[in-house]
């Protein structure tokens, strides 16, 4: 990955992570509802990352990448179930996990694009 690609990835991934964290914080007391907003944020992130690596990524490919990658981060549902309903604590935990998982997902996907594992 070139320095220019890394910087572009950084901007896209951090923007998506901040957005996912804001959604996670705002919808913490409504279990499961944030996924309806966070998943499209992550799909948009994957589509944007694909462009950086000159990959033609369709919406269905991006959705598949997000859902398969999200499956490896199943702890988010557990944390939301355990503390998501607690005001303030749940908001903080949900925001942190949503942002952290989106960040990790973004860098994982960027690395896979760079290595040619996603075409």
């Amino acid at each position: 990955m070139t320095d220019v690609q890394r910087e572009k990835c950084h901007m896209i991934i951090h923007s998506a992570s901040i957005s996912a964290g804001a959604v996670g914080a705002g919808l913490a007391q409504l279990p499961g509802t944030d996924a309806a907003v966070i998943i499209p944020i992550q799909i948009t992130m994957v589509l944007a990352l694909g462009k950086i690596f000159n990959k033609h990524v369709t919406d269905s490919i991006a959705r598949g990448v997000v859902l398969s990658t999200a499956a490896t981060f199943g702890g988010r549902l557990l944390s939301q179930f355990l503390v998501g309903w607690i005001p303030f604590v749940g908001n903080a935990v949900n925001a942190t996990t949503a942002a952290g998982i989106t960040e990790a997902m973004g860098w994982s996907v960027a690395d896979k694009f760079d290595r040619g594992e996603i075409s």
Side-chain angles (χ1 to χ4, degrees), residues 14-113:
H14 288 335
S15 295
S17 297
I18 290 167
S19 297
V23 169
L27 298 177
Q29 280 71 46
L30 302 171
T33 57
D34 60 353
V37 181
I38 291 173
I39 289 173
I41 290 169
Q42 294 169 336
I43 289 170
T44 302
M45 175 182 71
V46 171
L47 292 169
L49 291 172
K51 288 180 183 178
I52 291 171
F53 295 94
N54 297 316
K55 305 290 184 183
H56 176 69
V57 181
T58 65
D59 189 58
S60 60
I61 290 172
R63 184 180 318 277
V65 168
V66 167
L67 295 178
S68 66
T69 306
T72 63
F73 297 111
R76 176 160 156 47
L77 290 175
L78 181 61
S79 71
Q80 188 176 24
F81 176 75
L82 293 176
V83 297
W85 56 273
I86 304 170
F88 303 111
V89 172
N91 297 76
V93 169
N94 208 34
T96 302
T97 39
I101 287 171
T102 301
E103 182 86 14
M105 178 187 294
W107 286 111
S108 173
V109 169
D111 186 51
K112 288 178 181 182
F113 277 131

